[in-house]
Amino acid sequence: MNIKKLIMMGASGLLLAGCHANKSGADQNALPEMPVLLGETLLADDSLHVNAHGGMILEKDGIFYWYGEHRGDSTPGSMQQGVSLYTSDDLRNWKNRGIVLQLLDSVGHPLELGCKIERPKVIYNPATGKYVMWFHHELKGRGYGAAQAGVAVSDTPEGPFTFIKSARVNPGIYPENLSEEDRNLAWDPQMEWWTEEWYDQLRHGSFVKRDLEGGQMARDMTLYVDKDGKAYHIYSSEDNLTLQIAELDSTYTNHTGRYIRVAPGGHNEAPTLLEHDGTYWMITSGCTGWAPNAARLLRADSIMGEWTQLEGNPAKGEGAETTFDTQGTYIMKIGDNFTFMADRWNPKNLGDSRHVWIPVKFDETGNPYLEMPTDTEVVTAEP
Ligand code: GAL
């Protein structure tokens, strides 16, 4: 048993979540409730802290697959090996299943050791029977300059995943919601950054045009499969200043060319997404690297917009100004319940970054919010 201590607070105990059948056909009544994690060390069956960061959990036939960034540990010379996988049937005891997308000791390969893979997300495509992984990919030796989206596939959720390609997004194509007038508007590449005029030309698409030929930048990202089975890639673009949402094709391995810009110049990162009662919500972070900041909330009636950023912070109470010292990575839905999965980054030892999972609640107007749980189940690992 990796998790030695299960603390039950309040009356909710081991209540089972939800009662809807999911797409995989698993009986959601049988699925466990998502535990609350408050940043403790979380030991897997190898007695090591779960090394899966910026990740997500996929449920298939009652098994939970937790994919994330493998990061090195504090051992000298330790470095990222790729995307790690942990599995569980109770969301509490996690088995380390190793690296499912491996970085390679192969000079010049896009996945050469020393490149970066961040925020991997996996979705299942029922039409092709493939598990499709997308990730933020930075090439070796280029810092965060490449800003590419990588894609890999597997026949099983356990992997290994086979790398297909890595590139910027939708080269040569304008976003749907950039007007004809803006497309034709001249812009000045020399303009001093962060001035009013510079923001103004950015909002009118200067960076979209700058990157048009090679494709749009793609950094922090998530994936979302809509009710009709269409999948979308949501990513920080335009030097992290603007989110973009790009439709994927029926195989989920290519962009179709349809995409929109969201909150131009709004500096949103770490997009997480949920749909509740027909409204689409995004909880994002601001842009301060590994340091936590206040979350933001955006809403839309459909995934392709129009998106509006709401005033204020969806996190409430003490610690809200830093989203409880975290940055979101994914919103996990089980039955009718949503959980905000987040990373409490430790930039000095990224592998030791902690996991914080807190329930998403809805206020009387239907807006989602985040609050530190008081009366719920909390899982901790033995110190
Ligand atoms: C954060 C981002 C992380 C990582 C980090 C690097 O803003 O969310 O995924 O890229 O910057 O500084």
Side-chain angles (χ1 to χ4, degrees):
M1 285 283 269
N2 56 331
I3 295 169
K4 307 279 174 42
K5 203 164 58 175
L6 202 61
I7 301 175
M8 305 293 182
M9 292 163 61
S12 63
L14 271 177
L15 279 181
L16 298 175
C19 50
H20 294 303
N22 68 359
K23 283 187 193 133
S24 70
D27 177 2
Q28 296 273 308
N29 280 314
L31 295 180
E33 191 176 3
M34 191 89 173
V36 170
L37 299 183
L38 297 178
E40 307 85 352
T41 303
L42 181 64
L43 302 181
D45 64 330
D46 56 4
S47 303
L48 297 173
H49 178 58
V50 171
N51 197 343
H53 310 280
M56 58 91 68
I57 292 174
L58 172 84
E59 183 270 322
K60 187 84 174 105
D61 301 330
I63 305 290
F64 297 92
Y65 299 84
W66 183 355
Y67 304 93
E69 301 161 19
H70 168 271
R71 291 289 185 167
D73 51 34
S74 46
T75 329
S78 160
M79 61 198 295
Q80 183 178 39
Q81 295 299 319
V83 176
S84 49
L85 169 66
Y86 291 79
T87 56
S88 174
D89 60 8
D90 62 4
L91 289 162
R92 287 151 178 79
N93 294 282
W94 292 97
K95 187 171 164 41
N96 184 354
R97 307 295 294 268
I99 304 295
V100 291
L101 180 67
Q102 183 76 52
L103 298 188
L104 307 168
D105 196 3
S106 170
V107 178
H109 191 285
L111 293 190
E112 180 179 358
L113 277 161
C115 77
K116 294 186 192 63
I117 290 191
E118 293 188 351
R119 298 184 176 272
K121 303 288 177 298
V122 176
I123 49 180
Y124 174 63
N125 186 313
T128 60
K130 304 270 188 206
Y131 293 81
V132 183
M133 177 190 290
W134 284 82
F135 53 91
H136 167 200
H137 184 212
E138 295 292 348
L139 300 174
K140 183 179 179 184
R142 291 192 40 198
Y144 279 89
Q148 295 184 170
V151 58
V153 295
S154 169
D155 291 333
T156 68
E158 291 89 6
F161 282 76
T162 307
F163 175 68
I164 302 183
K165 62 182 175 185
S166 167
R168 289 200 172 177
V169 177
N170 286 326
I173 303 171
Y174 281 112
E176 276 185 3
N177 60 352
L178 190 70
S179 69
E180 249 345 277
E181 199 187 338
D182 280 347
R183 292 178 196 195
N184 294 321
L185 204 65
W187 66 285
D188 174 8
Q190 308 302 335
M191 196 179 278
E192 192 189 334
W193 280 50
W194 314 119
T195 60
E196 251 330 292
E197 298 73 24
W198 177 87
Y199 264 112
D200 192 55
Q201 72 164 10
L202 178 102
R203 283 190 287 267
H204 288 279
S206 53
F207 283 6
V208 171
K209 289 178 255 186
R210 179 196 66 187
D211 296 334
L212 191 69
E213 200 181 322
Q216 301 298 307
M217 294 176 116
R219 293 201 182 111
D220 279 13
M221 59 146 284
T222 193
L223 299 176
Y224 190 78
V225 181
D226 208 355
K227 286 174 282 194
D228 60 4
K230 273 196 185 159
Y232 298 86
H233 175 207
I234 300 112
Y235 52 97
S236 291
S237 192
E238 303 177 34
D239 275 294
N240 301 343
L241 283 148
T242 301
L243 288 167
Q244 294 185 356
I245 301 183
E247 186 186 67
L248 298 179
D249 73 3
S250 61
T251 69
Y252 297 171
T253 59
N254 301 295
H255 296 102
T256 61
R258 279 194 74 204
Y259 73 106
I260 57 163
R261 305 170 78 211
V262 174
H267 244 145
N268 286 287
E269 279 197 322
T272 65
L273 212 140
L274 70 89
E275 182 262 322
H276 186 241
D277 288 346
T279 301
Y280 294 77
W281 298 97
M282 248 198 274
I283 298 177
T284 65
S285 75
C287 204
T288 51
W290 301 117
N293 53 51
R296 289 97 176 273
L297 183 65
L298 297 92
R299 74 172 296 286
D301 294 330
S302 87
I303 189 142
M304 288 298 268
E306 185 174 333
W307 287 88
T308 316
Q309 189 163 330
L310 279 70
E311 289 290 318
N313 182 349
K316 308 285 173 213
E318 204 182 325
E321 63 293 345
T322 58
T323 321
F324 318 113
D325 283 332
T326 75
Q327 188 181 31
T329 180
Y330 191 70
I331 293 175
M332 175 73 184
K333 184 178 189 199
I334 298 180
D336 290 332
N337 300 317
F338 298 91
T339 295
F340 180 73
M341 297 173 60
D343 298 285
R344 181 168 292 156
W345 296 114
N346 175 0
K348 293 202 179 91
N349 181 1
L350 283 168
D352 191 45
S353 298
R354 302 302 172 80
H355 310 291
V356 175
W357 298 352
I358 56 177
V360 179
K361 297 175 186 165
F362 294 89
D363 67 17
E364 61 290 343
T365 63
N367 292 7
Y369 67 98
L370 305 171
E371 198 172 55
M372 268 297 161
T374 52
D375 178 27
T376 186
E377 181 190 351
V378 179
V379 175
T380 61
E382 187 101 296

